[in-house]
Amino acid sequence: MTTGYLYHELFGWHDPGNQAGLFPPDPRRGVQPLRHFENADTKRRIHELVVVSGLIDELVRIPARPATQEEIRRVHHREHVARIRAESERPSGGDAGDGISPFGSGGFEIAALAAGAVLAAVEAVCDGRVDNAYALVRPPGHHALPANGMGFCLFNNVAIAVRHAQKVLGVRRVAVLDWDVHHGNGTQAVFYSDPDVLTISIHQDNVFPVDSGGLDERGAGPGLGYALNVPLPPGTGDGGYRYAMETVCLPAIRRFRPELILVACGFDAGAMDPLGRQMVTSDGFRELTALTLQAAAEVCDGRVVLAHEGGYNPAFVPFCGLAVLETLCGAKTVDDPFLPLVAAMAGQELQPAQREAIDRAAQALADIETR
Ligand SMILES: [Zn+2]
């Protein structure tokens, strides 16, 4: 298996400032300066582990290029793109749109490069240069709506790549599988009425955005049935995620038979994440990837592109990223030192409440026309 890999040092230069997690420092309110949750650490450390472990030698480096404004506007309103661009010109930078997603001067260029990296990954997979690909991008994208950014996301990298595949690369049906711990609300919104794009989001029930990603969100008009949500109870581990894949995601992909699968790959469902309360291990992410590859081999010649989303524990996430990349290319390098600890945590196996939640989500499968 040949695996394309995209990373650019500029992704580490996206600057969300010195927030205390989410909030700007303000001594009058008792908020001390610190670091924004979405800082460069997890991403930069994945890349450095990929290099130091030697895995880089098994991957095909693909250069990132900036997405053009025309490409970004296939998903986003002209006003949103213009506003991000204008704020990016200011020395103080701006905010994606919800007040918790700041970016520094030049943030537009970095966000355009992140979107363009996912485009380049999709191009490489669609023209057969590589079998699959991982775009380790920052800022993330899956919360960004057509008219506004949110949740640390400026532009919806995955949605822009889907539209590019359709408009330029001759692909029609695309499945987007989002296993970030938060709901892939932006991607879902872009394709809500589109029966050619199946969006599947496995997420922790009602975390971010609140009141988003429930079972009742199933698409609209001709797209009814092509938005699929699997909200999971907090505390779901490898067993629950495996059951969700086997019971909902993979059957949905097999019914839909996409020509390309994009994965919004967050690692914040990981067992040590500060922004999620799930328990997935590096072996769990390894398995999610292997199952996705299996389904892709059946329906779309293995064409899978993963785009990096969230994941906020800088010590743990690199080993989860390494596990995913190893699975994509079929290599094995260093062991995850966290694995014995987190795999032994009580509740890793499927729990009754998780089974019920997943079985409920599976009822929506009938709305996907079998091809
Ligand atoms: Zn997330």
Side-chain angles (χ1 to χ4, degrees):
M1 210 85 102
T2 55
T3 296
Y5 175 68
L6 294 93
Y7 180 73
H8 194 291
E9 279 65 19
L10 267 185
F11 297 148
W13 295 19
H14 165 54
D15 180 15
N18 61 346
Q19 260 64 351
L22 296 174
F23 307 105
D26 184 345
R28 292 158 302 188
R29 292 164 183 267
V31 182
Q32 306 175 36
L34 185 65
R35 302 191 73 193
H36 196 283
F37 282 130
E38 200 296 297
N39 58 65
D41 280 355
T42 48
K43 280 64 60 166
R44 197 149 53 199
R45 289 170 63 98
I46 292 178
H47 175 67
E48 291 185 6
L49 183 59
V50 165
V51 173
V52 169
S53 67
L55 186 65
I56 193 76
D57 299 330
E58 310 293 325
L59 304 169
V60 179
R61 273 310 279 270
I62 295 168
R65 61 152 176 104
T68 65
Q69 289 193 52
E70 190 194 336
E71 287 165 338
I72 297 169
R73 285 200 301 254
R74 289 193 187 119
V75 165
H76 292 286
H77 299 175
R78 179 178 293 270
E79 296 74 24
H80 173 56
V81 181
R83 182 181 66 78
I84 298 291
R85 216 173 147 222
E87 291 185 7
S88 168
E89 293 296 316
R90 306 192 308 212
S92 56
D95 188 278
D98 61 356
I100 57 164
S101 310
F103 58 86
S105 194
F108 173 83
E109 279 75 14
I110 301 177
L113 189 65
V118 183
L119 295 190
V122 165
E123 285 169 357
V125 166
C126 286
D127 69 22
R129 259 178 295 158
V130 292
D131 295 313
N132 53 47
Y134 194 100
L136 177 54
V137 297
R138 178 170 178 264
H142 73 150
H143 295 306
L145 298 159
N148 232 346
M150 71 181 291
F152 322 154
C153 304
L154 278 66
F155 301 134
N156 197 310
N157 306 321
V158 164
I160 293 166
V162 170
R163 286 297 184 225
H164 182 68
Q166 292 179 316
K167 289 256 184 314
V168 180
L169 305 176
V171 173
R172 186 175 157 200
R173 279 194 319 283
V174 183
V176 179
L177 172 59
D178 186 325
W179 65 53
D180 186 281
V181 82
H182 306 106
H183 180 224
N185 63 302
T187 321
Q188 175 180 286
V190 172
F191 303 111
Y192 208 56
S193 305
D194 188 341
D196 285 332
V197 181
L198 170 67
T199 60
I200 311 168
S201 179
I202 322 180
H203 47 269
Q204 186 183 329
D205 191 14
N206 206 10
V207 175
F208 185 86
V210 288
D211 298 327
S212 181
L215 294 180
D216 55 326
E217 296 174 15
R218 299 170 67 169
L224 184 66
Y226 295 91
L228 207 52
N229 284 293
V230 191
L232 295 171
T236 304
D238 290 354
Y241 272 79
R242 182 188 315 117
Y243 188 69
M245 286 292 278
E246 287 171 345
T247 310
V248 186
C249 309
L250 303 181
I253 288 169
R254 290 188 178 110
R255 286 177 84 103
F256 184 66
R257 296 197 72 82
E259 295 149 57
L260 171 70
I261 299 173
L262 269 89
V263 177
C265 177
F267 293 107
D268 38 15
M272 310 202 105
D273 202 90
L275 298 190
R277 291 295 176 270
Q278 305 297 47
M279 298 175 54
V280 180
T281 70
S282 57
D283 265 3
F285 286 110
R286 201 181 288 280
E287 190 169 24
L288 293 179
T289 309
L291 290 170
T292 305
L293 285 180
Q294 231 174 62
E298 290 168 35
V299 301
C300 57
D301 294 327
R303 299 203 291 191
V304 181
V305 173
L306 290 84
H308 192 86
E309 298 284 355
Y312 303 98
N313 183 316
F316 182 56
V317 163
F319 292 101
C320 299
L322 194 75
V324 166
L325 276 156
E326 285 179 349
T327 311
L328 289 176
C329 69
K332 180 74 186 86
T333 61
V334 298
D335 289 336
D336 167 13
F338 288 94
L339 187 58
L341 180 72
V342 293
M345 287 177 174
Q348 279 296 1
E349 64 280 4
L350 177 68
Q351 305 294 312
Q354 297 160 11
R355 180 191 289 275
E356 276 170 37
I358 294 163
D359 287 345
R360 270 199 301 277
Q363 289 169 13
L365 283 172
D367 288 342
I368 302 170
E369 192 189 329
T370 305
R371 289 167 209 271

